[in-house]
Structures are given as C-alpha cells and as structure tokens.
Amino acid sequence: MTDLDTPAARPAAGRARGVGAATALRRAAPALAGYAAVRLLGLVGLAVWAAARDVDPLVRLTARWDAIWYARIAESGYGYTVRLPGGDVHADLAFFPLLPWLERGVAAVSPLSYGEAGLLVSLVASLAAAWGIFAVTDLVLGRRAGVCAAVLWGALPVGIVQSMAYSESLFTALAAWSLYAVLTGRWTLAGALALAAGLTRPVGLAVAAAVWAGAVASFVRDRSAAAADGAPDGARDLHAVRAGLDLSREGAGNWSRALGMLLAPLGAAGYVLWVGRRTGEGLFGYLDVQAGWRNGFDGGVAFARFVADLFDSLPGALAGLALIAGVGLVGWLLLAGVRARLPLPLLVHGFLVTLLAFGASSYFGSKPRLLVPAFPLLLPVAGAAARARPALTAALLGLAAAASAVYGGLWLTGSGPP
C-alpha cells in the first residue's frame, strides 16, 4: 500500500483543489460544535470559580490586565504611559493596533463597552480560529484529525484566554487562515492575512516567515511538480499538498507569490517603524518600549534562570521538574511534526512561535499564553487521536476539556494572565 492508498491521503488530494464556503462550513461543523462545547464548558468553570471566590467573571474577561490597555487604546488612541515606582515605564505602544481598531468599530455600532466589544471580537475570532485550525489539519491529515485539532486547541490548559478580550484568538484565526491560504496556493490572500496578523501581535512575523517559507519552497518545487506530469493524478495531487501547492492555481504565476511575500511582513514592520518614528528612536523605538515592560529576547536565558532558581526548595524543585517536563513535551511535539512530514510553513510557524515564547525574557506566567497560537504543535496529537478508537478519543478529549475548564477558572480568578 502506498501513501496514496491511505485514508488520509485520498481526501487530502481532492481538497487541494478547494471547495465552496458553504460546503467547507458543513464539513467543519463537527469541529466548530466540539470547540464551542469545550469553550462553553470553560466559561461554566470560570463562573463556578468566580462564584466561589466572589469575583465578577465578566470583569475578569473584559477589564483586567491587557484587556484594559486594549480598551483604553480603542477609546483614546495611543499615548498613555505609566511610570512605576521601580523605574519601569509601561507605554501602550507595546500593544499592536488591530484589536483596538475592531473594538472601536464594534462599540461604535452597538451598546457594548470597549471591553465588551473586545470580548465579542475574541469570541467570534475564536470560532474563526477553530475553523482555520480544522481546515489546515483536514487538508493535511484528514477530517477526523481536523476535528480533534480544533477541540484540542480549545482544551489547552490556558484555553480560557481564547474567551477573553485579548488578541490570542484574533491572531490565531489570521495565522491559521493565512497558513491554509499558503497550503492551497492563494498567495495574495496569505500575504494579506499575514499582514493583518502582524498588526495584531509582534509574533506576526512568524506568520510572515511561514508565508515566505511556503512561497520559496513552492517556487523551487513547482519544477519537480511539473516533472510529475506523467505520474498518476493522485500522486501529483499528494505531492502538491506536501509541497504547499494548489495545482488548480499553478497558472497564478510568480507575481502572486511575490505579492504575497511583499504583503506578509508589512503589518508588523509597519507598526514597529511607526512606533520608532513616534518615539524618535527609529528602528529601536519598539524595543525600547518593550524594555520598559521588561520584555525582550534573550534566547531563553531568563527563563532558564527562573527554572534554576526554583530548585532552592523542595516544592520549587517539583515545580521546576514539571516545567522541564513541559518544555520537553513541547520539544517532542516539534520533532513529531518534523517526523510526520508536516508542510514546511506549519513547521516554520510552530517553531518560531515556540522560540519567541520561550526565548522572551518576559514574565514566566505569560509563556503558556504566548504558546496558544502555536497550533501546529497539536497536529501530531490530533493525528494520533484520529487513529484511536472513537470511544477512547472522545474520552480523552472530554477529560482534556474538563481539566481545562477547572484549571482555566482557577487560573483566571487567581493570578491570571498578564
């Protein structure tokens, strides 16, 4: 039996040609229903913990931590700065503008506050993200794996952040659909979505890099795809999926790839340059703003020191061992994606998001949240779950969802993000 004869390969070959939106939505319906159920369970868990601790769950979702900064930008624009007693300077320029723009737009046409508008944007974006994750996984591993991937993303331990007035859901939706556009050869759309992702979070550069990786790989591989003209249609289609090509769009030519590559980094680069001009610090202006928040990139040195310091006591040592195990698990998932021969754009995106999360010198508590957009790491697990017996798959996904609801409610009513 060849790769073409496997159940996952046959539908993947056909889906490379694309389907209508209505058909795609019907195909994604189980994934969206499963994801919505997981997130609803998470909100119920939050409500239970909030009642037990006498806190307002809506305030925790819309008016705490970063959500306050986004709402303030939506209301008044940029220019707010807080100087802390220790000398740190927290400027709102650290926050990228797309979510506040959307909050302002929604608040302008509805009775919602800016924070509530941000929550609505996040809830809609989370469904779009789940659909995009399903679409990417369905294309690569098949429909059942796609459903599992969407549900697993919603059941992350910090999945509650997907239901907050934060930018994770919006960014993941843009990233997932940009990657889907790359895998189906829609280069201009891929670049435009990557541009929007770059206006959402600084890690948008990871999406741009994935677009570039896919474009360069397809430019090189379309020659070998052309050489496969004499091969059976199924083999040629499977080659296209693995190479990140949509054979129905081969005629688009190099210009569409070049346009997608041009558009992809403009969002993040444009905002960083604008901040540099506004602060008068040029290319380093945004880095100075981040430094005021004690954020930077040191390749993981600060994180390693944090973990090492935990071993000063027995309880801390146990926590340190758990963190090391967690990092090892993430590394294993990255390698599993390589062994599974996931398309290059997915590997690039997952690797760079992970690198920027662990390599940042920011507060450790934010690192699990920074990993939320790294959904390609879930694909090997989703593939394994899809191959398991349905009853076992349902039980494991249900257990993950329940654990996420309990932990998410406890986390958000306690220390919570920043």
Side-chain angles (χ1 to χ4, degrees):
M1 178 180 289
T2 67
D3 286 343
L4 251 297
D5 297 323
T6 62
R10 286 194 296 269
R15 288 190 302 276
R17 298 186 180 91
V19 295
T23 302
L25 180 57
R26 285 194 297 270
R27 186 173 181 84
L32 296 178
Y35 173 78
V38 170
R39 292 299 347 118
L40 180 60
L41 181 62
L43 292 175
V44 170
L46 171 62
V48 170
W49 278 110
R53 295 184 167 187
D54 195 25
V55 299
D56 187 340
L58 185 61
V59 170
R60 296 288 167 139
L61 294 172
T62 65
R64 292 291 300 272
W65 306 292
D66 291 4
I68 298 176
W69 289 87
Y70 284 122
R72 184 181 286 117
I73 295 168
E75 180 179 11
S76 306
Y78 286 100
Y80 183 77
T81 299
V82 176
R83 297 183 180 275
L84 303 182
D88 292 343
V89 179
H90 290 183
D92 58 10
L93 291 170
F95 298 91
F96 278 50
L98 185 56
L99 178 57
W101 288 347
L102 293 175
E103 289 179 347
R104 182 181 299 176
V106 172
V109 298
S110 73
L112 298 177
S113 68
Y114 292 108
E116 292 165 348
L119 178 60
L120 178 60
V121 170
S122 184
L123 291 175
V124 173
S126 69
L127 289 171
W131 188 0
I133 291 169
F134 165 81
V136 168
T137 311
D138 180 25
L139 184 67
V140 176
L141 298 176
R143 186 184 190 189
R144 190 177 175 197
V147 173
C148 293
V151 172
L152 283 169
W153 186 68
L156 290 174
V158 295
I160 189 65
V161 77
Q162 299 164 18
S163 302
M164 296 176 64
Y166 267 44
S167 61
E168 273 72 16
S169 290
L170 178 60
F171 176 80
T172 305
L174 294 167
W177 283 108
S178 178
L179 289 168
Y180 181 79
V182 168
L183 295 178
T184 55
R186 297 164 171 84
W187 298 109
T188 304
L189 177 61
L193 291 171
L195 186 157
L199 288 171
T200 308
R201 298 185 64 83
V203 74
L205 290 174
V207 187
V211 173
W212 275 62
V216 171
S218 73
F219 179 78
V220 172
R221 292 172 182 170
D222 60 4
R223 275 112 178 111
S224 59
D229 280 340
D233 289 342
R236 188 165 180 259
D237 281 345
L238 183 60
H239 172 87
V241 170
R242 288 178 172 172
L245 298 170
D246 182 352
L247 298 179
S248 67
R249 295 174 178 265
E250 284 181 311
N254 293 334
W255 71 267
S256 62
R257 271 195 294 256
L259 180 59
M261 295 174 71
L262 176 65
L263 290 173
L266 291 184
Y271 181 71
V272 167
L273 291 174
W274 179 81
V275 170
R277 182 176 180 181
R278 184 180 176 103
T279 60
E281 299 296 331
L283 293 175
F284 300 101
Y286 185 76
L287 296 179
D288 291 341
V289 169
Q290 287 284 12
W293 287 79
R294 297 200 177 186
N295 289 337
F297 184 85
D298 61 6
V301 173
F303 177 55
R305 289 175 177 169
F306 172 83
V307 174
D309 290 342
L310 292 174
F311 286 88
D312 289 341
S313 64
L314 179 58
L318 296 176
L321 290 174
L323 289 178
I324 292 173
V327 173
L329 174 61
V330 171
W332 178 84
L333 291 173
L334 286 170
L335 291 176
V338 174
R339 289 196 299 268
R341 299 177 63 190
L342 294 181
L344 179 63
L346 299 183
L347 297 176
V348 169
H349 175 76
F351 173 76
L352 289 180
V353 172
T354 302
L355 176 65
L356 292 173
F358 284 121
S361 58
S362 57
Y363 170 60
F364 165 73
S366 65
K367 293 190 183 299
R369 179 171 64 84
L370 296 178
L371 286 171
V372 167
F375 71 89
L377 274 65
L378 298 174
L379 266 62
V381 180
R387 293 188 296 271
R389 290 178 297 173
L392 178 60
T393 299
L396 292 176
L397 293 179
L399 181 62
S404 175
V406 172
Y407 178 77
L410 174 64
W411 181 59
L412 199 58
T413 57
S415 62

